[in-house]
Amino acid sequence: FYLTPPQVNSILKANEYSFKVPEFDGKNVSSVLGFDSNQLPANAPIEDRRSAATCLQTRGMLLGVFDGHAGCACAQAVSERLFYYIAVSLLPHETLLEIENAVESGRALLPILQWHKHPNDYFSKEASKLYFNSLRTYWQELIDLNSGETTDVREALINAFKRLDNDISLEAQVGDPNSFLNYLVLRVAFSGATACVAHVDGVDLHIANTGDSRAMLGVQEEDGSWSAVNLSYDHNAQNEHEVERVKMEHPKSEEKTLVKQDRLLGLLMPFRAFGDVKFKWSIELQKRVIESGPDQLNENEYTKFIPPNYHTPPYLTAEPEVIHHKLRPQDKFLVLATDGLWETMHRQDVARIVGEYLTGVHHEQPIAVGGYKVTLGQMHGLLTERRARISSVFEDQNAATHLIRHAVGNNEFGTVDHERLSKMLSLPEELARMYRDDITIIVVQFNSHVIGAYH
């Protein structure tokens, strides 16, 4: 099908969301001006999720992208739950006590998070009680463990990721008398999800990453040009340290079978993920849970097989790698995105496209036609398009949408080709997945004046 520009726009803008941080949120002037986010599905239903929230009992803002595999159940659960675990991990002892006392005496709870959600960002009401009970057990343990020290953000992030993954595993082992919930917790545990989360508080930016979504900083150099700084590392076969880590955790006899065809045990692309209990539980435990589980679970091919060469589980961890960065006035924005974006675009291009979008200033690259036979007509077309791009007010009000437009529609000259965009967006569901992955992007814009004042 050929889509008209308005049709293309309505597809691209369907899931866009923007949030502007109030100038003064009552506690401090924020280093975050706001954020734009968007998603473009390739899978039906989409397996990516996104989350953003302001921490109400501590300072800071949380933003994250989650990429599910073997279904969307795990990504959905992690997108709803992880920020609560992080927020609770950051709370001081007396606040934890206040919250526990309120639950104990049936009083209203202090709100912990203010969510910033698109209407399409679903929350599963059926599981909320179960999720709350697991979270409460966690904060009760934090109260008992209290050492009086304030929690370090890095430690809070690592503890929250590991604890949530542990709870996902436990809930599936315990099961639930309600058959709907029982099936839900099993689906969550047997599917998987990667997570890339940012916590911004003043000039302190922490990125906690598990898997192969990425965080990238857009930096404006003194001459006005843009550069990209990586704030996460992919946990996959391309990362030598990660391959080494996996090998160190298993006997030498398994060295040849651990990573095959660039996948963990020849099956899984990311080397770290939530859920995916097929790569974590013993064979006995897998069999016991599946046998006692609901019938739908037996019909699912994914749950039945045991990975090949499965001798010394766990092979997979949800523990994140945490990178801390002190924001500088030249750090203008942060991009969090699932691998659907990075498969199509280089981070340097991402930095330039978002930077130019946010400032409205284009540094025109000289047109490179190396290796191409370009006719005068094509050259004229390129220059006309370039002129139009400068003169036209941006059609996108959202930086994430602007980036998706480029990711899907860029031609070999790095400009958006409407015909290509139209073709890519009109692919039927079963074909779309062959050409691209789900794309989820959050672009966070920083307040340089506030960051400058900190320094």
Side-chain angles (χ1 to χ4, degrees):
F1 297 109
Y2 185 78
L3 303 174
T4 63
Q7 287 172 318
V8 163
N9 283 347
S10 72
I11 293 172
L12 288 178
K13 294 170 190 271
N15 296 311
E16 67 180 13
Y17 178 84
S18 292
F19 177 74
K20 295 279 168 276
V21 174
E23 285 285 314
F24 186 77
D25 65 4
K27 289 199 288 276
N28 53 332
V29 183
S30 177
S31 56
V32 174
L33 284 170
F35 71 85
D36 289 337
S37 79
N38 201 350
Q39 295 190 295
L40 181 68
N43 292 296
I46 184 168
E47 293 185 347
D48 280 6
R49 292 292 183 273
R50 57 181 164 179
S51 292
T54 301
C55 300
L56 295 174
Q57 304 305 327
T58 52
R59 297 200 339 218
M61 195 166 188
L62 285 164
L63 306 111
V65 294
F66 311 94
D67 187 350
H69 45 264
C72 58
C74 188
Q76 177 62 44
V78 175
S79 72
E80 289 180 42
R81 304 177 69 183
L82 181 58
F83 287 6
Y84 282 114
Y85 280 70
I86 295 170
V88 162
S89 307
L90 286 166
L91 289 178
H93 188 245
E94 51 277 18
T95 313
L96 287 172
L97 279 173
E98 272 176 62
I99 291 174
E100 176 54 30
N101 291 336
V103 177
E104 195 58 41
S105 57
R107 292 197 315 277
L109 277 189
L110 287 171
I112 299 176
L113 295 172
Q114 177 195 349
W115 291 92
H116 310 300
K117 291 212 305 269
H118 185 280
N120 295 355
D121 296 341
Y122 161 82
F123 259 46
S124 53
K125 305 223 177 2
E126 305 83 11
S128 57
K129 195 170 175 289
L130 170 78
Y131 289 172
F132 178 79
N133 290 339
S134 293
L135 182 69
R136 184 182 178 191
T137 306
Y138 178 41
W139 81 54
Q140 286 170 336
E141 283 175 31
L142 288 175
I143 290 170
D144 295 342
L145 287 171
N146 172 43
S147 52
E149 298 145 27
T150 50
T151 321
D152 158 66
V153 176
R154 185 174 179 279
E155 220 163 295
L157 288 163
I158 292 173
N159 292 344
F161 272 63
K162 285 164 72 172
R163 177 58 181 234
L164 172 57
D165 192 51
N166 197 42
D167 283 354
I168 285 171
S169 174
L170 265 176
E171 288 158 4
Q173 289 172 49
V174 173
D176 196 281
N178 169 334
S179 61
F180 174 82
L181 269 183
N182 195 28
Y183 186 45
L184 177 86
V185 295
L186 289 164
R187 271 186 31 226
V188 168
F190 277 95
S191 59
T194 67
C196 187
V197 170
H199 179 267
V200 196
D201 177 11
V203 288
D204 288 303
L205 168 63
H206 285 84
I207 301 290
N209 182 50
T210 286
D212 52 10
S213 291
R214 278 184 209 169
M216 181 214 92
L217 202 57
V219 180
Q220 191 164 30
E221 304 298 343
E222 282 180 4
D223 65 356
S225 67
W226 295 94
S227 64
V229 175
N230 261 359
L231 287 182
S232 67
Y233 299 102
D234 294 355
H235 298 133
N236 57 23
Q238 272 57 61
N239 179 339
E240 288 166 24
H241 295 292
E242 197 57 14
V243 175
E244 274 315 297
R245 177 189 67 79
V246 172
K247 287 183 175 169
M248 293 288 290
E249 291 173 4
H250 298 277
K252 205 138 179 61
S253 57
E254 292 186 54
E255 209 165 26
K256 294 220 174 7
T257 55
L258 280 170
V259 180
K260 285 180 120 168
Q261 290 156 333
D262 283 352
R263 291 167 181 255
L264 190 63
L265 296 181
L267 296 168
L268 198 62
M269 288 288 267
F271 284 19
R272 302 190 194 196
F274 282 91
D276 280 320
V277 292
K278 300 231 48 98
F279 295 86
K280 293 172 181 171
W281 289 356
S282 69
I283 293 175
E284 297 74 55
L285 179 57
Q286 291 191 37
K287 285 189 170 142
R288 195 181 81 228
V289 169
I290 289 166
E291 275 160 19
S292 61
D295 295 340
Q296 299 109 302
L297 204 62
N298 289 317
E299 291 154 25
N300 183 336
E301 284 307 306
Y302 183 69
T303 52
K304 272 205 286 244
F305 79 97
I306 299 289
N309 304 299
Y310 197 77
H311 308 297
T312 53
Y315 287 92
L316 192 63
T317 177
E319 180 168 337
E321 193 169 3
V322 178
I323 289 181
H324 173 237
H325 175 84
K326 277 254 190 267
L327 290 170
R328 309 156 301 172
Q330 64 266 41
D331 299 333
K332 301 298 183 188
F333 60 87
L334 170 73
V335 176
L336 298 172
T338 54
D339 61 350
L341 173 69
W342 311 110
E343 283 165 5
T344 58
M345 288 186 88
H346 189 272
R347 62 174 180 270
Q348 200 48 56
D349 295 328
V350 170
R352 181 180 55 78
I353 287 166
V354 176
E356 291 180 354
Y357 170 83
L358 292 174
T359 56
V361 179
H362 293 273
H363 290 268
E364 288 300 355
Q365 314 288 328
I367 291 184
V369 288
Y372 291 109
K373 287 200 169 63
V374 179
T375 64
L376 272 175
Q378 285 170 314
M379 185 57 103
H380 176 72
L382 275 172
L383 292 170
T384 320
E385 188 174 332
R386 179 173 277 205
R387 197 167 66 229
R389 202 170 61 197
I390 295 166
S391 64
S392 76
V393 178
F394 273 117
E395 49 199 352
D396 296 320
Q397 253 74 84
N398 179 303
T401 308
H402 186 64
L403 202 44
I404 289 176
R405 188 183 296 277
H406 278 269
V408 179
N410 264 3
N411 59 17
E412 62 270 37
F413 302 111
T415 56
V416 175
D417 174 345
H418 178 76
E419 198 171 321
R420 180 181 163 81
L421 197 53
S422 165
K423 278 183 188 156
M424 290 297 279
L425 293 179
S426 60
L427 288 171
E429 280 167 9
E430 60 279 9
L431 273 181
R433 188 59 195 88
M434 292 162 65
Y435 288 91
R436 58 184 172 81
D437 195 356
D438 296 329
I439 299 176
T440 297
I441 300 172
I442 300 178
V443 179
V444 185
Q445 203 178 345
F446 296 121
N447 188 333
S448 306
H449 301 300
V450 169
I451 290 167
Y454 272 98
H455 288 277

